[in-house]
């Protein structure tokens, strides 16, 4: 049994159910699809693109050590993928396709079209869960409805979570390498060099693991206090790695749980608060999965689409450039422009400033953030702006 494992926002080999299962039951070949035109339509910016490419290079090295060849498909849009992936499956004589579920609408449409194309060629398609700690649909109200507010979601999440969310899969055992060449990975994509953000944000699992270990050793115990002060290095800076899937949320949760003597609640207040942030991440992903209108650029709370936003292009430009005259807002926007990242408290301040002070449509801010952020993530960004 030869399985084509399709990597997307899960650029790692550890705790990768699709790869793990494929290698446990046969032979794996990996593929990644570069869809620059589609991603640009989704407002993915140069920082995120460069980070993804650098992480892909790191993944290629890890796959190589496991004897798994990596192929690359360069196609402008998701619509090109059913045919391109089936052609590759024919060429490599694979029996099945495996990937992890993704939740935004266009990604779900893409995956169902690709699934149909593979099923039409009598190949199995294995869809695994990995993007969240608890799968969307598993945290519901007593009436079976999705939650729309975080605190009750968190309560139910904590009372439902099982051992699976704390048991990351190991790195698979190496396989005998099939006679398939590796792709030559590009050093740049869509005009963006791979090393654009690598000084500050080197891609790949090794760096993610290093950051996680350092955070747990040095900072997590004070996280509940320090995270409120943007001038401190009080947070994990793991967001680009979690967004690209260079590390899994399950690996992060398991490490925090171990550091808290095997507890999710109680114990150290810093660790407990950090675990809450991982639950926030789940919450917004569940929202995206369960409320498709959010993926269409519509307000989560419908009545908010009736807000008469101001058209104020000059003020919007001043906000983007960090020239509002409000020092905290300007410092934050310059941090974003210079580093591709912004502290959570500053994301909240600058988002509030744009929407509640300048009364400019949150979608303008969402788009600008997505364009600049190295950790740009549709669910977290949209959730942050809608909040
Ligand atoms: P830590 O404080 O160490 O938290 C650990 C992890 O938990 C983060 O890496 C992230 O994966 C997750 N997390 C933390 N806070 C949140 C949150 N509020 N919502 C969802 N997940 C969270 N995060 C992104 O990853 N990508 C985005 O595009 C993004 N856009 C945002 C836009 C706005 C307006 C706001 C208010 C928040 C946004 N966030 C986004 C959430 C949060 O600000 C960042 O995840 C966090 O600042 C990243 O820093 P860190 O890795 O040091 O986080």
């Amino acid at each position: 049994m030869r399985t084509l494992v399709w990597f997307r926002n899960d650029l790692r080999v550890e705790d990768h159910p699709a790869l793990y299962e494929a290698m446990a039951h046969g032979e794996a070949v990996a593929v990644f699809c570069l869809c620059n035109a589609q991603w640009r339509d989704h407002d993915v910016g140069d920082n995120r693109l460069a980070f993804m490419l650098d992480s892909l290079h790191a993944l290629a090295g890890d796959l190589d050590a496991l004897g798994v060849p990596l192929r690359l498909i360069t196609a402008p849009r998701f619509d090109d993928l059913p045919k391109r992936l089936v052609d590759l499956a024919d060429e490599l004589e694979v029996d099945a396709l495996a990937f992890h579920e993704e939740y935004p609408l266009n990604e779900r449409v893409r995956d169902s079209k690709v699934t149909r194309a593979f099923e039409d060629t009598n190949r199995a398609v294995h869809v695994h869960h990995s993007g969240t700690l608890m799968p969307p649909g598993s945290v519901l109200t007593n009436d079976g409805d999705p939650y729309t507010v975080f605190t009750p979601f968190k309560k139910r999440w904590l009372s439902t979570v099982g051992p699976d969310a704390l048991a990351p899969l190991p790195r698979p055992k190496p396989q005998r390498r099939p006679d398939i060449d590796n792709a030559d990975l590009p050093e740049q994509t869509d005009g963006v060099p791979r090393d654009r953000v690598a000084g500050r944000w080197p891609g790949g699992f090794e760096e993610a693991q290093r950051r996680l270990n350092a955070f747990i050793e040095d900072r997590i115990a004070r996280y509940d206090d320090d995270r409120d002060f943007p001038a401190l290095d009080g947070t994990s800076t793991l967001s680009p790695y979690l967004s690209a899937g260079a590390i899994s949320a399950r690996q992060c949760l398991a490490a925090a749980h171990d550091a808290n003597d095997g507890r999710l609640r109680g114990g150290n207040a810093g660790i407990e608060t950090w675990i809450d942030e991982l639950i926030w991440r789940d919450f917004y992903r569940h929202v995206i999965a369960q409320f498709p209108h959010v993926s269409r650029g519509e307000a989560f709370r419908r009545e908010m689409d009736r807000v008469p936003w101001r058209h104020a292009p000059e003020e919007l430009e001043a906000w983007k450039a960090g020239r509002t005259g409000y020092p905290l807002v300007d410092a934050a926007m310059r941090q974003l422009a210079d580093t591709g990242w912004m502290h959570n408290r500053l994301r909240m301040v600058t988002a509030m400033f744009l929407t509640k002070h300048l009364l400019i449509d949150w979608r303008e801010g969402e788009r600008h953030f997505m364009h600049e952020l190295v950790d740009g993530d549709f669910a977290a960004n949209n959730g942050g702006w809608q909040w």
Side-chain angles (χ1 to χ4, degrees), residues 215 223 227 234-240 242-243 252 274 276-282 284 341-351 369-370 373 375-387:
F215 176 66
Y223 178 78
R227 74 185 180 127
T235 69
S236 69
T237 66
L238 277 167
S239 50
L242 279 161
S243 294
C252 294
W274 198 63
D276 284 353
E277 300 307 321
L278 297 176
I279 305 175
W280 267 108
R281 180 178 178 277
D282 263 23
Y284 287 138
W341 187 85
M342 192 197 285
H343 190 281
N344 170 261
R345 292 322 196 205
L346 298 179
R347 295 187 202 207
M348 293 166 75
V349 167
T350 54
F369 266 33
M370 197 65 193
L373 283 170
D375 64 20
D377 173 88
F378 175 62
N381 191 42
N382 184 279
W385 278 96
Q386 300 249 24
W387 180 86

Side-chain angles (χ1 to χ4, degrees), residues 9-12 48 51 131 208 236-253 274 278 281 285 375 377:
N9 291 304
D10 48 9
L11 301 179
R12 61 181 184 274
R48 173 91 166 86
F51 183 77
S236 69
T237 66
L238 277 167
S239 50
Y241 301 87
L242 279 161
S243 294
I247 195 164
S248 73
R250 185 154 67 166
Q251 290 174 301
C252 294
L253 184 69
W274 198 63
L278 297 176
R281 180 178 178 277
R285 288 180 172 226
D375 64 20
D377 173 88

Side-chain angles (χ1 to χ4, degrees), residues 61-77:
D62 290 341
L63 286 170
D64 205 47
L66 296 178
V68 179
L70 171 65
R71 299 297 287 261
L72 186 69
I73 288 177
T74 305
R77 301 190 168 277

